[in-house]
Structures are given as C-alpha cells and as structure tokens.
Amino acid sequence: MQDTPPPQLRLGLLFAMCFAFLPFGFNEFSINYLFVGISLFIIIIRGRIQILPPLFWIAVLFFTTSFFLSIFFLPNGFEHFGRRAASWVIFMSIFAFSFCRINDSDIRTFKTALISVSVLFSALAIIIFISATFTSIIHYDAKNLVGSQRLGFMYILAFWVLLLDRSFKSQLGKAHAILILILLLGIALTFSRASIIGLMGSLVFLGLLNTPLHLGLLTFNGRVNTASLRIISLSVLSIIALYTIVPLTFHFYWDMLFAPLIDGRLFTAMSYPTSSEGIRLIRLQTILTYIQEHPFLGSGFLGVWSIAPNTGSAHNQ
C-alpha cells in the first residue's frame, strides 16, 4: 500500500486531526489527548505497524517500572492512584506515534488542521467579543468570555506555520493576510499574558536566528537583513492592528504585563504568596524541592497533584 492515501482517506485524516485539536472535557477535568486517535487512524489507512528497535521497548520498560516503583516507594504512593495511573497512561500514549510512519502528506494535513481549527476558534472569539460590545459595556472581565491560555499557544503555533510555510501563501493568495490577522486577533483575545509573552519570545528567537553574528539589521556586506526587517515590521504592524481593532486588549496587556514589568510591580508581586505570580513562584520552588528529594522517581507521573495542598492546575508545573 502506498504511503500517500487517496483523497477520501486524506480528508478523513484531516477531520481526525481537526477533532484532536478540539478542547474536550469531562465534568471538571480537561481531557485534550485525542491526538492518540491520529496515530491509530494513520495505522489503519496504511495497514501496517512499524517494527520498533529494542531501545524503544527498553524505554517503555523503564517508564513502566518507574510508575510501579513510585506507588510503593514514594510518600503517599497510593494517594490519587487513579490520577497517577491516568497520567502514566497519557504519558505512554505519546509513544503511539512511534508505531506509524509519518510522511510529508501527513505533515501537510497536520498543518492544515492546526490552521483551520485555530482560525475557527479565533473567529468565534472575535464574533463573541464584538457581540458583547454591542450588548453591554465590557472591560477586563472579557477574559472570562473569550480568553483561553491553552488555545493561545495553539494560535501561536498556527500563526508561525501559516507565516513561514510559503506554500500556504501561494495557495491562499489574498486570504493569507486575512487569516494571519484573524490569528493575531485570536491571540490578543485570549487575554493571557503567557500568550503575548510566547508570541514576543518567538519573534525575538526568530529574529536572532536570522541575524548573523549579532550584526543587527546589517549583514557582512552592509546590506539590510531582510528577514530581521520583516520580523520588526511584522511586530510594529501587529501592535498597530491590535490597538486599532481591539484597543481593550492593548490596555489590558499594558496594565497587566508591560506597565508592572517596567515599574517593577511584577517583581514585587512575586513576594506576595496570594498573588498570581507569588503562587506560581511558590509552586516552582515546591516542585524543585520535590525533585531534589526524589531525583529518580520524581512524582511518579502524578504531576501537580503530588504537591500539597493538591490545588491548582497542571500548567503551574
């Protein structure tokens, strides 16, 4: 059987990948691990499973042994056994992709699904935000209406894939710029400082990669480094678009991120255990202490739930 499936199966794979990106929850638990179905779908349409080397099975044996040892040797090993076992299963499910061969067609389908879902949710957030402005006076409480830190990181990934993969630009034409703008607005409407820091950090990182030997905008021959210039221009245009179209988000990030960072309030807040920054710092210190006390077994795949008083969300790790 050929690695490239017929159009019908490629369309099915596209829907499977889109479905894997959708946020899914059960009661108060968030379950975003439908990606395992992608590997299963690829195995089915290819009709074969890859033969894995002995090193793979050694790794599986290592992590499995660590899981069972943690139950008997870690303090309160049997506490939250259900969560611990679920975390171990989820971790091991990552190896599912080792059983299928990923080709260029699969990667292209993955990128298309990522962009499609990100643009869809960004557009929905924009519509909800605009509708709310007509029906009521909204302020920073809009964060609870359209904000989502988890979706923010997906938007950033989709933004860079759409921007850097030139095949999408040639295929989409004028719609390419529109989709980029929608994703930027979606990132802004997450009302998440982590989303903005992630976007800015990736801009700086990409700028450094395209700036030879720290020569700034100039190369050895004195010509302008067009890649770095494009990144700077993109940053400026993004700020202008953000302030023009959704000024509330601009004021939100200024008040909650940039102003406290400039005047030092952000660092002062770290000393208060009740602040958002202080809580994260305490959890980081607790995690480092826990790892120091249990360097080999860690938390036994339990994650944040191994930290007293067992409150908070997983992203605090």
Side-chain angles (χ1 to χ4, degrees), residues 103-139:
N103 58 29
D104 293 339
S105 175
D106 299 330
I107 296 175
R108 176 70 179 185
T109 304
F110 172 83
K111 291 180 179 180
T112 303
L114 171 67
I115 295 172
S116 301
V117 174
S118 299
V119 169
L120 173 62
F121 278 94
S122 296
L124 289 175
I126 295 171
I127 294 173
I128 294 173
F129 181 80
I130 294 176
S131 300
T133 58
F134 284 108
T135 57
S136 61
I137 299 176
I138 60 174
H139 196 51

Side-chain angles (χ1 to χ4, degrees), residues 8-22 109 113:
Q8 297 86 348
L9 291 180
R10 289 183 60 186
L11 183 61
L13 180 60
L14 175 62
F15 278 110
M17 289 185 175
C18 288
F19 188 72
F21 281 115
L22 299 179
T109 304

Side-chain angles (χ1 to χ4, degrees), residues 229-267:
L229 187 60
R230 284 198 301 269
I231 294 173
I232 295 175
S233 302
L234 176 63
S235 303
V236 174
L237 292 175
S238 300
I239 295 175
I240 295 175
L242 178 66
Y243 186 76
T244 303
I245 302 176
V246 281
L248 177 63
T249 60
F250 188 90
H251 296 301
F252 173 84
Y253 292 118
W254 175 258
D255 292 340
M256 297 297 179
L257 177 60
F258 297 109
L261 189 62
I262 293 174
D263 59 26
R265 282 181 291 144
L266 190 64
F267 302 100

Side-chain angles (χ1 to χ4, degrees), residues 5 46 161 166 179 220 258 265 297:
R46 299 279 156 74
V161 169
R166 296 183 179 181
L179 295 184
F220 284 109
F258 297 109
R265 282 181 291 144
L297 297 178

Side-chain angles (χ1 to χ4, degrees), residues 19-85:
F19 188 72
F21 281 115
L22 299 179
F24 177 71
F26 178 74
N27 291 334
E28 75 274 17
F29 304 111
S30 177
I31 308 172
N32 298 105
Y33 305 104
L34 300 177
F35 60 85
V36 179
I38 298 176
S39 59
L40 180 61
F41 191 92
I42 293 176
I43 291 174
I44 293 175
I45 64 177
R46 299 279 156 74
R48 63 176 181 268
I49 297 178
Q50 285 202 126
I51 303 299
L52 300 175
L55 184 61
F56 170 84
W57 298 110
I58 293 175
V60 171
L61 178 62
F62 171 79
F63 290 120
T64 303
T65 304
S66 300
F67 167 67
F68 286 104
L69 289 177
S70 66
I71 297 175
F72 295 99
F73 292 100
L74 287 180
N76 303 320
F78 287 95
E79 186 178 5
H80 301 297
F81 174 78
R83 286 183 177 274
R84 191 187 300 274

